[in-house]
Amino acid sequence: MNLVKEIKVNGNGNGLFLKIVLGALTAGLAGAGGGMIKLYRDVGVLQTSSGIEKRVDTLEVLARDIGTDRDKRTIIIQGFRDDILDIKRRVENLEKRR
């Protein structure tokens, strides 16, 4: 604050100190505004999901389908095993009758 008193004492009326302070504040405000705009644009790009979210959704659907297919195959294989055991049992019964 000595600089302010010195400027007033010397009678320098052009307000150099005030101009410097206002210039620094304006530059800071402009920089912060530019940063906020860039941040807003980056968030907007992320919100529109540049295909990553769609890919993740597609992969989740695929994983569900694979799980469903695996469950179906397990049921089918178990059915085959049951059929094979039934056939073996019938063959054994036929062999015992002879």
Coordinates of all heavy atoms in Angstrom, one line a residue:
M1 N 0.8 -1.2 0.0 CA 0.0 0.0 0.0 C 0.9 1.3 0.0 O 0.3 2.3 -0.2 CB -0.9 0.0 1.2 CG -2.0 -1.0 1.1 SD -2.9 -0.7 -0.5 CE -4.4 -1.5 -0.2
N2 N 2.1 1.1 0.2 CA 3.0 2.3 0.2 C 3.1 2.8 -1.2 O 3.3 4.0 -1.4 CB 4.5 1.9 0.6 CG 4.5 1.6 2.1 OD1 3.7 2.0 2.9 ND2 5.5 0.8 2.5
L3 N 2.9 2.0 -2.2 CA 2.9 2.4 -3.6 C 1.8 3.4 -3.8 O 1.9 4.4 -4.5 CB 2.9 1.2 -4.5 CG 3.0 1.5 -6.0 CD1 4.3 2.2 -6.3 CD2 2.9 0.3 -6.8
V4 N 0.6 3.0 -3.3 CA -0.6 3.9 -3.4 C -0.3 5.2 -2.8 O -0.6 6.3 -3.4 CB -1.8 3.2 -2.8 CG1 -3.0 4.1 -2.9 CG2 -2.1 1.9 -3.5
K5 N 0.2 5.3 -1.6 CA 0.5 6.5 -0.9 C 1.6 7.3 -1.7 O 1.5 8.5 -1.8 CB 1.0 6.3 0.5 CG 0.0 5.8 1.5 CD 0.5 5.6 2.8 CE -0.5 5.0 3.8 NZ 0.0 4.8 5.1
E6 N 2.6 6.7 -2.2 CA 3.6 7.3 -3.0 C 3.0 8.0 -4.2 O 3.4 9.1 -4.6 CB 4.7 6.3 -3.3 CG 5.9 7.0 -4.0 CD 7.0 5.9 -4.2 OE1 7.4 5.2 -3.3 OE2 7.4 5.8 -5.4
I7 N 2.1 7.3 -4.9 CA 1.5 7.8 -6.1 C 0.7 9.0 -5.8 O 0.8 10.0 -6.5 CB 0.7 6.7 -6.8 CG1 1.6 5.7 -7.4 CG2 -0.2 7.4 -7.9 CD1 0.8 4.5 -8.0
K8 N 0.0 9.0 -4.7 CA -0.8 10.1 -4.3 C 0.0 11.3 -3.8 O -0.3 12.4 -4.1 CB -1.8 9.7 -3.1 CG -2.9 8.8 -3.6 CD -3.9 8.5 -2.5 CE -5.0 7.6 -2.9 NZ -5.9 7.2 -1.9
V9 N 1.1 11.0 -3.1 CA 2.0 12.0 -2.6 C 2.7 12.7 -3.8 O 2.8 14.0 -3.8 CB 3.0 11.5 -1.7 CG1 4.1 12.5 -1.3 CG2 2.4 11.0 -0.4
N10 N 3.1 12.0 -4.8 CA 3.8 12.6 -5.9 C 2.9 13.3 -6.8 O 3.3 14.1 -7.7 CB 4.6 11.5 -6.7 CG 5.8 11.0 -6.0 OD1 6.3 11.6 -5.1 ND2 6.2 9.8 -6.3
G11 N 1.6 13.1 -6.6 CA 0.6 13.8 -7.5 C 0.5 13.2 -8.8 O 0.0 13.9 -9.8
N12 N 0.9 11.9 -9.0 CA 0.8 11.3 -10.3 C -0.7 10.9 -10.4 O -1.2 10.0 -9.9 CB 1.7 10.0 -10.3 CG 1.8 9.4 -11.7 OD1 1.1 9.9 -12.6 ND2 2.6 8.4 -11.8
G13 N -1.4 11.7 -11.2 CA -2.9 11.5 -11.3 C -3.3 10.6 -12.5 O -4.5 10.5 -12.7
N14 N -2.4 9.9 -13.2 CA -2.8 9.1 -14.3 C -3.4 7.8 -13.8 O -3.9 7.0 -14.7 CB -1.7 9.0 -15.3 CG -0.5 8.3 -14.8 OD1 -0.5 7.8 -13.6 ND2 0.5 8.2 -15.6
G15 N -3.3 7.4 -12.6 CA -3.8 6.1 -12.1 C -3.1 4.9 -12.6 O -3.8 3.9 -12.9
L16 N -1.8 5.0 -12.7 CA -1.1 3.8 -13.2 C -1.3 2.6 -12.4 O -1.5 1.5 -12.9 CB 0.4 4.2 -13.3 CG 1.4 3.1 -13.8 CD1 1.0 2.8 -15.2 CD2 2.8 3.5 -13.6
F17 N -1.3 2.7 -11.1 CA -1.5 1.5 -10.2 C -2.8 0.9 -10.4 O -3.0 -0.3 -10.6 CB -1.3 1.9 -8.7 CG -1.5 0.8 -7.8 CD1 -0.5 -0.2 -7.7 CD2 -2.6 0.7 -7.0 CE1 -0.7 -1.2 -6.8 CE2 -2.8 -0.3 -6.1 CZ -1.8 -1.3 -6.0
L18 N -3.8 1.8 -10.5 CA -5.2 1.3 -10.8 C -5.3 0.6 -12.1 O -6.0 -0.4 -12.2 CB -6.2 2.5 -10.7 CG -7.7 2.1 -10.8 CD1 -8.1 1.2 -9.7 CD2 -8.5 3.4 -10.7
K19 N -4.6 1.1 -13.1 CA -4.7 0.5 -14.4 C -4.0 -0.9 -14.4 O -4.5 -1.8 -15.0 CB -4.0 1.4 -15.5 CG -4.7 2.7 -15.8 CD -4.0 3.5 -16.8 CE -4.7 4.8 -17.0 NZ -4.0 5.7 -17.9
I20 N -2.9 -1.0 -13.7 CA -2.2 -2.3 -13.6 C -3.1 -3.3 -12.9 O -3.3 -4.4 -13.3 CB -0.9 -2.1 -12.9 CG1 0.1 -1.3 -13.7 CG2 -0.3 -3.5 -12.5 CD1 1.4 -0.9 -13.0
V21 N -3.7 -2.9 -11.8 CA -4.6 -3.8 -11.0 C -5.8 -4.2 -11.9 O -6.1 -5.4 -11.9 CB -5.1 -3.1 -9.7 CG1 -6.2 -3.9 -9.0 CG2 -3.9 -2.9 -8.8
L22 N -6.4 -3.3 -12.5 CA -7.6 -3.6 -13.4 C -7.1 -4.5 -14.6 O -7.9 -5.4 -14.9 CB -8.2 -2.3 -13.9 CG -9.1 -1.6 -12.9 CD1 -9.6 -0.3 -13.5 CD2 -10.2 -2.5 -12.3
G23 N -6.0 -4.2 -15.1 CA -5.5 -5.1 -16.2 C -5.3 -6.5 -15.8 O -5.6 -7.5 -16.4
A24 N -4.7 -6.7 -14.6 CA -4.4 -8.0 -14.0 C -5.7 -8.7 -13.7 O -5.9 -9.9 -14.1 CB -3.5 -7.9 -12.8
L25 N -6.7 -8.0 -13.2 CA -8.0 -8.6 -12.9 C -8.7 -9.0 -14.1 O -9.3 -10.1 -14.2 CB -8.8 -7.7 -12.0 CG -8.4 -7.5 -10.6 CD1 -9.2 -6.4 -9.9 CD2 -8.4 -8.8 -9.8
T26 N -8.6 -8.2 -15.1 CA -9.3 -8.4 -16.4 C -8.6 -9.6 -17.1 O -9.3 -10.5 -17.6 CB -9.2 -7.2 -17.3 OG1 -9.8 -6.1 -16.7 CG2 -9.9 -7.5 -18.6
A27 N -7.3 -9.7 -17.1 CA -6.6 -10.9 -17.7 C -7.0 -12.1 -16.9 O -7.2 -13.2 -17.6 CB -5.1 -10.6 -17.7
G28 N -7.0 -12.1 -15.6 CA -7.4 -13.3 -14.8 C -8.8 -13.7 -15.1 O -9.1 -14.9 -15.2
L29 N -9.7 -12.7 -15.2 CA -11.1 -13.0 -15.5 C -11.3 -13.6 -16.9 O -12.0 -14.6 -17.1 CB -12.0 -11.8 -15.4 CG -13.5 -12.0 -15.5 CD1 -14.0 -12.9 -14.5 CD2 -14.2 -10.6 -15.4
A30 N -10.6 -13.1 -17.9 CA -10.6 -13.6 -19.2 C -10.0 -15.1 -19.3 O -10.6 -15.9 -19.9 CB -9.9 -12.7 -20.2
G31 N -9.0 -15.3 -18.6 CA -8.4 -16.6 -18.5 C -9.3 -17.6 -17.9 O -9.5 -18.7 -18.3
A32 N -9.9 -17.2 -16.8 CA -10.9 -18.1 -16.1 C -12.1 -18.4 -16.9 O -12.6 -19.5 -17.0 CB -11.3 -17.5 -14.7
G33 N -12.5 -17.4 -17.6 CA -13.7 -17.6 -18.5 C -13.4 -18.5 -19.7 O -14.2 -19.4 -20.0
G34 N -12.2 -18.4 -20.2 CA -11.8 -19.3 -21.3 C -11.6 -20.7 -20.8 O -12.0 -21.7 -21.4
G35 N -11.1 -20.9 -19.6 CA -11.0 -22.2 -19.0 C -12.3 -22.8 -18.7 O -12.5 -24.0 -18.9
M36 N -13.3 -22.0 -18.3 CA -14.6 -22.5 -18.0 C -15.3 -23.0 -19.3 O -16.0 -24.0 -19.3 CB -15.5 -21.5 -17.3 CG -15.1 -21.2 -15.9 SD -15.2 -22.6 -14.8 CE -17.0 -22.7 -14.7
I37 N -15.1 -22.2 -20.4 CA -15.7 -22.5 -21.7 C -15.1 -23.9 -22.2 O -15.8 -24.7 -22.6 CB -15.5 -21.4 -22.7 CG1 -16.3 -20.2 -22.3 CG2 -15.8 -21.9 -24.1 CD1 -16.0 -19.0 -23.1
K38 N -13.8 -24.0 -22.0 CA -13.1 -25.3 -22.4 C -13.7 -26.4 -21.6 O -14.0 -27.5 -22.1 CB -11.6 -25.2 -22.3 CG -10.9 -26.4 -22.8 CD -9.4 -26.3 -22.8 CE -8.7 -27.4 -23.3 NZ -9.3 -28.7 -23.5
L39 N -13.8 -26.2 -20.3 CA -14.3 -27.3 -19.4 C -15.7 -27.7 -19.8 O -16.1 -28.8 -19.9 CB -14.2 -26.8 -18.0 CG -14.7 -27.8 -16.9 CD1 -13.8 -29.0 -16.9 CD2 -14.8 -27.1 -15.6
Y40 N -16.5 -26.7 -20.1 CA -17.9 -26.9 -20.5 C -18.0 -27.7 -21.8 O -18.8 -28.6 -21.9 CB -18.7 -25.6 -20.7 CG -20.1 -25.7 -21.1 CD1 -21.1 -26.1 -20.2 CD2 -20.5 -25.5 -22.4 CE1 -22.4 -26.3 -20.5 CE2 -21.8 -25.6 -22.8 CZ -22.8 -26.0 -21.8 OH -24.1 -26.2 -22.2
R41 N -17.1 -27.4 -22.7 CA -17.1 -28.1 -24.0 C -16.6 -29.5 -23.8 O -17.2 -30.5 -24.4 CB -16.2 -27.4 -25.0 CG -16.8 -26.1 -25.5 CD -15.8 -25.3 -26.3 NE -15.6 -26.0 -27.6 CZ -14.6 -25.7 -28.4 NH1 -13.8 -24.7 -28.1 NH2 -14.5 -26.3 -29.6
D42 N -15.6 -29.7 -23.0 CA -15.1 -31.1 -22.7 C -16.2 -31.9 -22.0 O -16.4 -33.1 -22.4 CB -13.9 -31.0 -21.8 CG -12.6 -30.5 -22.5 OD1 -12.7 -30.4 -23.8 OD2 -11.7 -30.1 -21.8
V43 N -16.9 -31.3 -21.1 CA -18.0 -32.1 -20.4 C -19.1 -32.4 -21.5 O -19.6 -33.5 -21.5 CB -18.6 -31.3 -19.2 CG1 -19.9 -31.9 -18.7 CG2 -17.5 -31.2 -18.1
G44 N -19.4 -31.5 -22.4 CA -20.4 -31.7 -23.4 C -20.0 -32.8 -24.3 O -20.8 -33.7 -24.7
V45 N -18.7 -32.9 -24.6 CA -18.2 -34.0 -25.5 C -18.3 -35.3 -24.7 O -18.8 -36.3 -25.3 CB -16.7 -33.8 -25.9 CG1 -16.1 -35.0 -26.4 CG2 -16.6 -32.6 -26.8
L46 N -18.0 -35.3 -23.4 CA -18.2 -36.6 -22.7 C -19.7 -37.0 -22.6 O -20.0 -38.2 -22.6 CB -17.6 -36.4 -21.3 CG -16.1 -36.3 -21.2 CD1 -15.6 -36.0 -19.8 CD2 -15.4 -37.6 -21.8
Q47 N -20.5 -36.0 -22.4 CA -21.9 -36.3 -22.3 C -22.5 -36.9 -23.6 O -23.4 -37.7 -23.5 CB -22.7 -35.1 -21.9 CG -22.5 -34.7 -20.4 CD -23.3 -33.5 -20.0 OE1 -23.7 -32.7 -20.8 NE2 -23.4 -33.3 -18.7
T48 N -22.0 -36.4 -24.7 CA -22.6 -36.9 -26.0 C -22.0 -38.3 -26.2 O -22.4 -39.0 -27.2 CB -22.2 -36.0 -27.1 OG1 -20.8 -35.9 -27.2 CG2 -22.9 -34.7 -27.0
S49 N -21.1 -38.8 -25.4 CA -20.5 -40.1 -25.5 C -20.0 -40.4 -26.9 O -20.7 -40.7 -27.8 CB -21.5 -41.2 -25.0 OG -22.5 -41.5 -26.0
S50 N -18.8 -40.2 -27.0 CA -18.1 -40.4 -28.3 C -18.0 -41.8 -28.7 O -17.0 -42.2 -29.2 CB -16.7 -39.8 -28.2 OG -16.0 -40.4 -27.2
G51 N -19.0 -42.6 -28.5 CA -19.1 -44.0 -28.9 C -18.6 -45.0 -27.9 O -19.0 -46.1 -27.9
I52 N -18.0 -44.5 -26.8 CA -17.5 -45.4 -25.8 C -18.7 -46.0 -25.0 O -18.7 -47.2 -24.7 CB -16.5 -44.7 -24.8 CG1 -15.2 -44.3 -25.6 CG2 -16.2 -45.5 -23.6 CD1 -14.3 -43.5 -24.8
E53 N -19.6 -45.1 -24.7 CA -20.8 -45.6 -23.9 C -21.6 -46.5 -24.7 O -22.1 -47.6 -24.2 CB -21.6 -44.4 -23.5 CG -22.7 -44.7 -22.5 CD -23.5 -43.5 -22.0 OE1 -22.8 -42.5 -21.7 OE2 -24.7 -43.6 -22.0
K54 N -21.7 -46.3 -26.0 CA -22.5 -47.2 -26.9 C -21.7 -48.5 -27.0 O -22.4 -49.6 -27.0 CB -22.6 -46.6 -28.3 CG -23.5 -45.4 -28.3 CD -23.6 -44.7 -29.6 CE -24.4 -43.5 -29.6 NZ -24.4 -42.8 -30.9
R55 N -20.4 -48.5 -27.0 CA -19.6 -49.7 -27.1 C -19.8 -50.5 -25.8 O -19.9 -51.8 -25.8 CB -18.2 -49.4 -27.3 CG -17.8 -49.0 -28.7 CD -16.4 -48.7 -28.8 NE -15.9 -49.0 -30.2 CZ -14.7 -48.8 -30.5 NH1 -13.8 -48.5 -29.6 NH2 -14.3 -49.0 -31.8
V56 N -19.8 -49.8 -24.7 CA -20.0 -50.5 -23.4 C -21.4 -51.2 -23.3 O -21.5 -52.3 -22.9 CB -19.8 -49.5 -22.2 CG1 -20.2 -50.1 -20.9 CG2 -18.3 -49.1 -22.2
D57 N -22.4 -50.4 -23.8 CA -23.7 -51.0 -23.8 C -23.8 -52.2 -24.7 O -24.4 -53.2 -24.3 CB -24.7 -50.0 -24.3 CG -24.9 -48.8 -23.3 OD1 -24.6 -49.0 -22.1 OD2 -25.4 -47.8 -23.7
T58 N -23.1 -52.2 -25.9 CA -23.1 -53.3 -26.8 C -22.4 -54.5 -26.1 O -22.9 -55.6 -26.3 CB -22.4 -52.9 -28.1 OG1 -23.1 -51.8 -28.7 CG2 -22.4 -54.0 -29.1
L59 N -21.3 -54.2 -25.5 CA -20.6 -55.3 -24.8 C -21.4 -55.9 -23.7 O -21.3 -57.1 -23.4 CB -19.2 -54.8 -24.3 CG -18.2 -54.5 -25.4 CD1 -16.9 -53.9 -24.8 CD2 -17.9 -55.7 -26.2
E60 N -22.1 -55.1 -22.9 CA -23.0 -55.6 -21.9 C -24.1 -56.5 -22.4 O -24.3 -57.6 -21.9 CB -23.6 -54.5 -21.1 CG -22.6 -53.8 -20.2 CD -23.2 -52.6 -19.4 OE1 -24.3 -52.2 -19.8 OE2 -22.5 -52.1 -18.5
V61 N -24.7 -56.1 -23.5 CA -25.7 -56.9 -24.2 C -25.1 -58.2 -24.7 O -25.6 -59.3 -24.5 CB -26.4 -56.2 -25.4 CG1 -27.2 -57.1 -26.2 CG2 -27.2 -55.0 -24.8
L62 N -23.9 -58.2 -25.3 CA -23.2 -59.4 -25.7 C -22.9 -60.3 -24.6 O -23.1 -61.5 -24.7 CB -21.9 -59.0 -26.5 CG -21.1 -60.1 -27.1 CD1 -21.9 -60.8 -28.1 CD2 -19.8 -59.5 -27.7
A63 N -22.4 -59.7 -23.5 CA -22.1 -60.6 -22.3 C -23.4 -61.3 -21.8 O -23.3 -62.5 -21.4 CB -21.5 -59.7 -21.2
R64 N -24.5 -60.6 -21.8 CA -25.7 -61.2 -21.3 C -26.1 -62.3 -22.3 O -26.6 -63.4 -21.9 CB -26.9 -60.1 -21.3 CG -27.0 -59.5 -19.9 CD -28.3 -58.8 -19.8 NE -28.6 -57.9 -20.9 CZ -28.3 -56.6 -21.0 NH1 -27.6 -56.0 -19.9 NH2 -28.6 -55.8 -22.0
D65 N -26.0 -62.0 -23.6 CA -26.3 -63.1 -24.6 C -25.4 -64.3 -24.5 O -25.9 -65.4 -24.6 CB -26.2 -62.5 -26.0 CG -27.3 -61.5 -26.3 OD1 -28.3 -61.4 -25.6 OD2 -27.2 -60.7 -27.3
I66 N -24.2 -64.1 -24.2 CA -23.2 -65.2 -24.0 C -23.6 -66.0 -22.8 O -23.7 -67.2 -22.8 CB -21.8 -64.7 -23.9 CG1 -21.3 -64.2 -25.3 CG2 -20.9 -65.8 -23.4 CD1 -20.0 -63.5 -25.2
G67 N -24.0 -65.3 -21.7 CA -24.5 -66.0 -20.5 C -25.7 -66.8 -20.8 O -25.9 -67.9 -20.3
T68 N -26.6 -66.2 -21.5 CA -27.9 -66.9 -21.9 C -27.6 -68.1 -22.7 O -28.2 -69.2 -22.5 CB -28.9 -66.0 -22.6 OG1 -29.1 -64.8 -21.8 CG2 -30.2 -66.6 -22.9
D69 N -26.7 -68.0 -23.7 CA -26.4 -69.1 -24.6 C -25.7 -70.2 -23.7 O -26.0 -71.4 -23.9 CB -25.4 -68.7 -25.7 CG -26.1 -67.8 -26.7 OD1 -27.4 -67.8 -26.7 OD2 -25.4 -67.2 -27.5
R70 N -24.9 -69.8 -22.8 CA -24.2 -70.8 -22.0 C -25.2 -71.6 -21.1 O -25.1 -72.8 -21.0 CB -23.2 -70.1 -21.0 CG -22.4 -71.1 -20.2 CD -21.3 -70.3 -19.4 NE -20.3 -69.7 -20.3 CZ -19.7 -68.6 -20.1 NH1 -19.9 -68.0 -18.9 NH2 -18.8 -68.1 -20.9
D71 N -26.2 -70.8 -20.6 CA -27.2 -71.5 -19.8 C -28.0 -72.5 -20.7 O -28.4 -73.6 -20.3 CB -28.2 -70.5 -19.2 CG -27.5 -69.6 -18.1 OD1 -26.5 -70.1 -17.6 OD2 -28.0 -68.6 -17.8
K72 N -28.4 -72.0 -21.9 CA -29.1 -72.9 -22.8 C -28.3 -74.1 -23.2 O -28.8 -75.3 -23.2 CB -29.5 -72.1 -24.1 CG -30.5 -71.1 -23.9 CD -30.8 -70.4 -25.2 CE -31.9 -69.3 -25.0 NZ -32.1 -68.5 -26.3
R73 N -27.0 -73.9 -23.4 CA -26.1 -75.1 -23.7 C -26.1 -76.1 -22.6 O -26.1 -77.3 -22.7 CB -24.7 -74.6 -24.1 CG -24.6 -74.1 -25.5 CD -23.2 -73.8 -25.8 NE -22.9 -72.7 -24.9 CZ -21.9 -71.8 -25.1 NH1 -21.1 -71.9 -26.1 NH2 -21.7 -70.9 -24.2
T74 N -26.0 -75.5 -21.4 CA -25.9 -76.4 -20.2 C -27.2 -77.2 -20.1 O -27.1 -78.4 -19.8 CB -25.8 -75.5 -18.9 OG1 -24.6 -74.7 -19.0 CG2 -25.7 -76.4 -17.7
I75 N -28.3 -76.6 -20.3 CA -29.6 -77.3 -20.3 C -29.6 -78.4 -21.4 O -30.1 -79.5 -21.1 CB -30.8 -76.3 -20.4 CG1 -30.9 -75.4 -19.2 CG2 -32.1 -77.1 -20.7 CD1 -31.8 -74.3 -19.3
I76 N -29.2 -78.0 -22.6 CA -29.2 -79.0 -23.7 C -28.3 -80.2 -23.4 O -28.6 -81.3 -23.6 CB -28.8 -78.3 -25.0 CG1 -29.9 -77.3 -25.4 CG2 -28.5 -79.3 -26.1 CD1 -29.6 -76.4 -26.6
I77 N -27.0 -79.8 -22.9 CA -26.1 -80.9 -22.6 C -26.6 -81.8 -21.5 O -26.5 -83.0 -21.6 CB -24.7 -80.3 -22.2 CG1 -24.1 -79.6 -23.4 CG2 -23.8 -81.3 -21.6 CD1 -22.8 -78.8 -23.1
Q78 N -27.2 -81.2 -20.5 CA -27.8 -82.0 -19.4 C -28.9 -82.9 -20.0 O -29.0 -84.1 -19.6 CB -28.4 -81.1 -18.3 CG -28.8 -81.9 -17.1 CD -27.7 -82.7 -16.5 OE1 -26.6 -82.2 -16.3 NE2 -28.0 -84.0 -16.1
G79 N -29.7 -82.4 -20.9 CA -30.7 -83.2 -21.6 C -30.1 -84.4 -22.4 O -30.6 -85.5 -22.3
F80 N -29.0 -84.1 -23.1 CA -28.3 -85.2 -23.8 C -27.8 -86.2 -22.8 O -27.9 -87.4 -23.1 CB -27.1 -84.6 -24.6 CG -27.5 -83.9 -25.8 CD1 -26.6 -82.9 -26.4 CD2 -28.7 -84.1 -26.5 CE1 -26.9 -82.2 -27.5 CE2 -29.0 -83.4 -27.6 CZ -28.2 -82.4 -28.1
R81 N -27.2 -85.8 -21.7 CA -26.7 -86.8 -20.7 C -27.8 -87.6 -20.2 O -27.7 -88.8 -20.0 CB -26.0 -86.0 -19.6 CG -24.7 -85.4 -19.9 CD -24.1 -84.7 -18.8 NE -22.8 -84.1 -19.1 CZ -22.2 -83.1 -18.5 NH1 -22.8 -82.7 -17.4 NH2 -21.1 -82.6 -18.9
D82 N -29.0 -87.0 -19.9 CA -30.1 -87.7 -19.4 C -30.6 -88.7 -20.4 O -30.9 -89.9 -20.1 CB -31.3 -86.8 -19.0 CG -30.9 -85.9 -17.8 OD1 -30.0 -86.3 -17.0 OD2 -31.6 -84.9 -17.6
D83 N -30.6 -88.3 -21.7 CA -31.0 -89.2 -22.8 C -30.0 -90.4 -22.9 O -30.5 -91.5 -23.1 CB -31.1 -88.5 -24.1 CG -32.3 -87.5 -24.1 OD1 -33.2 -87.6 -23.3 OD2 -32.3 -86.6 -25.0
I84 N -28.8 -90.1 -22.8 CA -27.7 -91.1 -23.0 C -27.9 -92.1 -21.8 O -27.8 -93.4 -22.0 CB -26.3 -90.5 -23.0 CG1 -26.1 -89.8 -24.3 CG2 -25.3 -91.6 -22.8 CD1 -24.9 -88.9 -24.4
L85 N -28.1 -91.6 -20.6 CA -28.3 -92.5 -19.4 C -29.5 -93.4 -19.6 O -29.5 -94.6 -19.3 CB -28.3 -91.7 -18.1 CG -27.0 -91.1 -17.7 CD1 -27.3 -90.2 -16.4 CD2 -26.0 -92.2 -17.4
D86 N -30.6 -92.8 -20.1 CA -31.8 -93.5 -20.4 C -31.6 -94.6 -21.4 O -32.0 -95.7 -21.2 CB -32.9 -92.5 -20.8 CG -34.3 -93.2 -21.0 OD1 -34.6 -94.0 -20.0 OD2 -34.9 -93.0 -22.0
I87 N -30.9 -94.3 -22.5 CA -30.6 -95.3 -23.5 C -29.7 -96.4 -23.0 O -30.0 -97.6 -23.2 CB -29.9 -94.6 -24.7 CG1 -30.9 -93.7 -25.5 CG2 -29.3 -95.7 -25.7 CD1 -30.3 -92.8 -26.5
K88 N -28.7 -96.1 -22.2 CA -27.9 -97.1 -21.5 C -28.7 -98.0 -20.6 O -28.5 -99.2 -20.6 CB -26.7 -96.4 -20.7 CG -25.6 -95.9 -21.5 CD -24.5 -95.3 -20.6 CE -23.4 -94.8 -21.3 NZ -22.3 -94.2 -20.4
R89 N -29.6 -97.4 -19.9 CA -30.4 -98.2 -19.0 C -31.3 -99.1 -19.8 O -31.5 -100.3 -19.4 CB -31.3 -97.2 -18.1 CG -32.1 -97.9 -17.0 CD -32.8 -97.0 -16.2 NE -33.5 -95.9 -16.9 CZ -34.7 -95.9 -17.5 NH1 -35.3 -97.1 -17.5 NH2 -35.2 -94.9 -18.1
R90 N -31.9 -98.6 -20.9 CA -32.8 -99.5 -21.7 C -32.0 -100.6 -22.3 O -32.4 -101.7 -22.4 CB -33.4 -98.6 -22.8 CG -34.5 -97.8 -22.2 CD -35.2 -97.0 -23.4 NE -36.2 -96.2 -22.8 CZ -37.1 -95.5 -23.6 NH1 -37.0 -95.6 -24.9 NH2 -38.0 -94.8 -23.1
V91 N -30.7 -100.3 -22.8 CA -29.9 -101.4 -23.4 C -29.6 -102.4 -22.4 O -29.6 -103.6 -22.6 CB -28.6 -100.7 -24.0 CG1 -27.6 -101.8 -24.4 CG2 -29.0 -99.9 -25.2
E92 N -29.2 -102.0 -21.1 CA -28.9 -102.9 -20.1 C -30.2 -103.8 -19.8 O -30.0 -105.0 -19.5 CB -28.5 -102.2 -18.8 CG -27.1 -101.6 -18.9 CD -26.7 -100.8 -17.7 OE1 -27.5 -100.6 -16.8 OE2 -25.6 -100.2 -17.8
N93 N -31.3 -103.2 -19.8 CA -32.6 -103.9 -19.5 C -32.8 -104.9 -20.6 O -33.2 -106.1 -20.4 CB -33.8 -103.0 -19.4 CG -33.8 -102.2 -18.1 OD1 -33.1 -102.6 -17.1 ND2 -34.5 -101.1 -18.0
L94 N -32.6 -104.5 -21.9 CA -32.7 -105.4 -23.0 C -31.8 -106.6 -22.9 O -32.1 -107.8 -23.2 CB -32.6 -104.7 -24.3 CG -33.7 -103.8 -24.7 CD1 -33.4 -103.1 -26.0 CD2 -35.0 -104.6 -25.0
E95 N -30.5 -106.3 -22.5 CA -29.5 -107.4 -22.4 C -29.9 -108.3 -21.2 O -29.6 -109.5 -21.3 CB -28.1 -106.8 -22.1 CG -27.5 -106.1 -23.4 CD -26.2 -105.5 -23.1 OE1 -25.8 -105.4 -21.9 OE2 -25.6 -105.0 -24.1
K96 N -30.5 -107.8 -20.2 CA -30.9 -108.7 -19.1 C -32.0 -109.6 -19.5 O -32.1 -110.7 -19.0 CB -31.3 -107.8 -17.9 CG -30.1 -107.2 -17.2 CD -30.6 -106.4 -16.0 CE -29.5 -105.6 -15.3 NZ -29.9 -104.8 -14.2
R97 N -32.9 -109.1 -20.4 CA -34.0 -110.0 -20.8 C -33.6 -111.1 -21.7 O -34.2 -112.1 -21.8 CB -35.0 -109.1 -21.5 CG -35.8 -108.2 -20.6 CD -36.9 -107.4 -21.4 NE -37.4 -106.4 -20.6 CZ -38.2 -105.5 -21.0 NH1 -38.5 -105.4 -22.3 NH2 -38.7 -104.6 -20.2
R98 N -32.5 -111.0 -22.3 CA -32.0 -112.1 -23.2 C -31.5 -113.2 -22.5 O -31.1 -113.7 -21.7 CB -31.0 -111.6 -24.2 CG -31.6 -110.7 -25.2 CD -30.6 -110.3 -26.3 NE -31.2 -109.6 -27.4 CZ -30.7 -109.5 -28.5 NH1 -29.5 -109.9 -28.7 NH2 -31.3 -108.8 -29.4

